[in-house]
Amino acid sequence: MTLTQLPLLVFVGISLTTMLTLLSGCEKSLTQEDRPVAIAEEQPESNSTPVAQEVEDGLEVATLGSGCFWCTEAVFRELKGVKSAVSGYSGGKVPNPTYKAVSAGTTDHAEVIQITYDPKQISFTDVLKVFWETHDPTTLNRQGADVGTQYRSAVFYHNNQQKEEATEYKKQLDESGKFKSPIVTEITAFKEFYPAEDYHQDYFKLNPNQQYCQYVIRPKLEKFRSKFADKLKTEEK
């Protein structure tokens, strides 16, 4: 090797390294890396406390985990009869969890949404139908590229009726063969709900051009709208 060849080899080496880095970044951009772990570093840590839901007379509450709460919230906020959908954390062992801690898998919390709905407009059974139709309940601690216990499929029931309905519906789905693999959805008693940090709330609506929103949430939302067109709110969303 001559001294004149050395700069060329160094340049080629740097170029290949740069290319591999860019490709790696593109591959990750639609997975965990595109979710706001980095954003969380710049946000004040949550001082959230568990919410004792004050429910208006005639309304009911459901707490569901089906992967990324951005996705779940975007779906349920468009559903007729749903009055509110709040992203947050349930099912863990650590009080006042932050997104950073939940993402690290150290708190045992699941990303969930807590919805308040009018049972005169939508039944809990219909809520469950939308829940099980809009995520993969057969993959343990995983939804697509989102991997971790925080993404587990879960129904946190608030009363015995919800427990019975969820258990029976899950059994019927398994027996029907609708899914190729057994449903692994956790059905467990609700204990506490911690609202997620403010920047997670209404995330899809406020960040429609973000890559995760464009390539993960939007297709899921469009599929939901097509399948449940008769159950969508008619007023402006």
Side-chain angles (χ1 to χ4, degrees):
M1 179 187 304
T2 66
L3 291 178
T4 56
Q5 291 174 313
L6 185 58
L8 177 60
L9 290 175
V10 171
F11 173 77
V12 170
I14 293 174
S15 297
L16 288 174
T17 301
T18 302
M19 184 180 295
L20 289 172
T21 300
L22 290 173
L23 288 174
S24 176
C26 289
E27 180 181 359
K28 291 179 179 179
S29 66
L30 300 184
T31 63
Q32 277 275 57
E33 296 299 318
D34 197 48
R35 301 203 63 217
V37 176
I39 298 175
E41 300 284 355
E42 304 169 3
Q43 300 288 336
E45 288 203 349
S46 171
N47 292 317
S48 67
T49 55
V51 171
Q53 186 82 22
E54 294 184 6
V55 184
E56 182 181 332
D57 286 347
L59 301 183
E60 295 182 6
V61 175
T63 305
L64 308 167
S66 56
C68 163
F69 48 27
W70 296 349
C71 299
T72 315
E73 182 193 288
V75 166
F76 276 90
R77 69 180 302 274
E78 294 194 358
L79 197 60
K80 188 186 303 180
V82 171
K83 303 302 180 182
S84 68
V86 181
S87 293
Y89 315 111
S90 280
K93 60 185 180 182
V94 177
N96 306 318
T98 64
Y99 177 75
K100 183 178 178 181
V102 173
S103 295
T106 60
T107 73
D108 286 347
H109 285 89
E111 287 193 14
V112 301
I113 59 158
Q114 187 149 284
I115 66 169
T116 301
Y117 66 98
D118 184 350
K120 293 179 181 179
Q121 293 184 277
I122 182 170
S123 67
F124 184 64
T125 297
D126 282 337
V127 168
L128 290 174
K129 182 175 182 180
V130 173
F131 165 75
W132 267 308
E133 290 277 354
T134 53
H135 78 293
D136 184 350
T138 70
T139 51
L140 186 64
N141 301 328
R142 177 171 193 156
Q143 286 299 306
D146 291 330
V147 181
T149 55
Q150 70 270 30
Y151 299 118
R152 65 188 183 271
S153 176
V155 175
F156 295 96
Y157 59 84
H158 288 254
N159 51 52
N160 284 333
Q161 183 177 348
Q162 286 190 355
K163 177 184 180 181
E164 291 171 4
E165 288 190 40
T167 302
E168 180 61 25
Y169 203 134
K170 177 182 174 182
K171 179 183 176 183
Q172 290 177 6
L173 285 174
D174 267 331
E175 291 176 347
S176 72
K178 179 177 179 61
F179 298 103
K180 295 180 180 179
S181 301
I183 294 173
V184 296
T185 302
E186 165 189 337
I187 300 176
T188 190
F190 171 82
K191 292 183 180 179
E192 295 175 333
F193 172 75
Y194 296 90
E197 294 82 346
D198 288 346
Y199 64 92
H200 288 297
Q201 308 301 334
D202 229 357
Y203 194 87
F204 178 74
K205 181 179 179 181
L206 297 176
N207 302 273
N209 297 320
Q210 200 252 20
Q211 284 193 339
Y212 191 94
C213 293
Q214 284 287 323
Y215 297 105
V216 178
I217 302 178
R218 187 176 295 281
K220 177 178 285 193
L221 195 54
E222 290 175 350
K223 184 177 180 180
F224 156 73
R225 288 169 177 167
S226 175
K227 191 175 185 75
F228 292 97
D230 61 325
K231 296 188 182 300
L232 299 180
K233 293 176 181 176
T234 55
E235 68 268 24
E236 183 180 353
K237 304 175 183 64

